[in-house]
Amino acid sequence: MENEKLQEQTESMADYEAHFDDANPWNVVARYQEEGTNLHVKVEGIVNGGVIAMVEGLIPASRLSLSYIEDLETYLLKEIDVRVIEANQAEGRLILSAREILREQKKAEDAKKLASVQVGSVVKGTVESLQSYGAFVRLENGLSGLVHISQISTQRIKSADQVLHVGDEVDVKVIGIKDGKISLSIKALAEDAEKEQEEELEHVEIPKVEAIGTSLGDLFKNIKL
């Protein structure tokens, strides 16, 4: 009985302490930070370098999106999901961020798109950048893949810009997927086309010499000289 009573008292004390801690909003947001809790907030104001959310926390402009935001006003009164990344009661500073959540969402979306890409398939894409080692091509599903310089042309080239330019629309063949990276080839398509032509020529039936002679005889037999 004494153990049960002591346990009840302990639980009551724990409940009291939890309630006492929750009475201080800084303790609440600190727990949110520790647990990585997602908070759905509304942007209530715009300040230099960021926006103010309804919980009176600052979301720096660099943490609103995965890309640069030119006009912060587009976020005014917008509802977004954020996480607490800093809760400093002594300095009265509460910093929030949407970037981590967006990054996780993009990673999940990219993984889903990557699962649908098959090695050996031919897809369309747009050249988005040229590097010394090859060209990056953005595919129709939004993912990017690398066409190594050795896979750009059947001819030996010193740089990608000898054949490709940013913005070019190209057909590419998926030749590999490893560690989330897609390897593409333009050369493989040219080689495939050449192979098909060779196979077609192999199936062309050439008439025998006798047949050619007969055909020529038939051609000239009705001609009067």
Side-chain angles (χ1 to χ4, degrees):
M1 291 292 292
E2 291 182 0
N3 290 337
E4 292 179 359
K5 187 174 182 180
L6 179 60
Q7 184 177 358
E8 290 177 358
Q9 291 176 345
T10 302
E11 289 176 351
S12 298
M13 181 61 69
D15 292 342
Y16 172 78
E17 290 177 349
H19 177 74
F20 179 78
D21 287 343
D22 288 347
N24 184 342
W26 285 101
N27 292 334
V28 176
V29 294
R31 189 169 70 250
Y32 287 159
Q33 179 183 6
E34 182 180 350
E35 297 175 354
T37 304
N38 290 357
L39 304 176
H40 191 71
V41 300
K42 185 176 183 180
V43 176
E44 297 287 355
I46 307 297
V47 296
N48 185 25
V51 301
I52 302 296
M54 189 172 62
V55 291
E56 295 301 322
L58 173 68
I59 308 173
S62 61
R63 292 184 173 275
L64 270 173
S65 174
L66 296 179
S67 57
Y68 174 73
I69 300 173
E70 186 171 350
D71 185 8
L72 290 176
E73 292 290 339
T74 59
Y75 274 80
L76 187 60
L77 302 182
K78 185 177 181 179
E79 295 184 1
I80 58 176
D81 291 329
V82 296
R83 287 181 187 160
V84 178
I85 59 171
E86 183 181 350
N88 190 324
Q89 182 177 3
E91 298 183 10
R93 184 169 64 245
L94 176 61
I95 306 298
L96 309 173
S97 174
R99 190 173 62 188
E100 288 72 17
I101 299 175
L102 295 174
R103 188 176 291 160
E104 290 173 4
Q105 291 173 346
K106 185 178 185 302
K107 185 177 180 180
E109 291 172 0
D110 287 349
K112 187 176 180 180
K113 292 176 181 177
L114 189 64
S116 66
V117 178
Q118 300 296 321
V119 173
S121 61
V122 177
V123 294
K124 292 185 179 296
T126 304
V127 177
E128 60 180 353
S129 69
L130 299 176
Q131 308 296 332
S132 59
Y133 48 85
F136 282 97
V137 174
R138 180 168 291 277
L139 306 181
E140 291 180 322
N141 62 5
L143 296 180
S144 293
L146 172 67
V147 183
H148 190 268
I149 192 168
S150 64
Q151 294 296 324
I152 291 178
S153 173
T154 53
Q155 305 296 320
R156 183 166 183 159
I157 59 174
K158 293 183 178 180
S159 60
D161 59 9
Q162 287 182 245
V163 179
L164 300 173
H165 302 87
V166 173
D168 285 352
E169 293 185 358
V170 293
D171 290 330
V172 291
K173 185 175 183 177
V174 180
I175 59 174
I177 300 175
K178 184 178 180 180
D179 299 329
K181 297 179 180 179
I182 304 174
S183 297
L184 306 170
S185 176
I186 297 174
K187 183 177 76 172
L189 294 180
E191 292 175 341
D192 289 346
E194 185 177 344
K195 185 177 180 181
E196 287 180 6
Q197 289 178 354
E198 291 176 353
E199 291 176 349
E200 288 178 0
L201 289 175
E202 288 177 359
H203 290 86
V204 173
E205 294 185 5
I206 301 177
K208 295 181 180 179
V209 176
E210 296 83 354
I212 295 175
T214 302
S215 298
L216 290 175
D218 293 339
L219 177 64
F220 289 109
K221 71 179 182 180
N222 295 323
I223 298 178
K224 294 179 180 181
L225 299 177

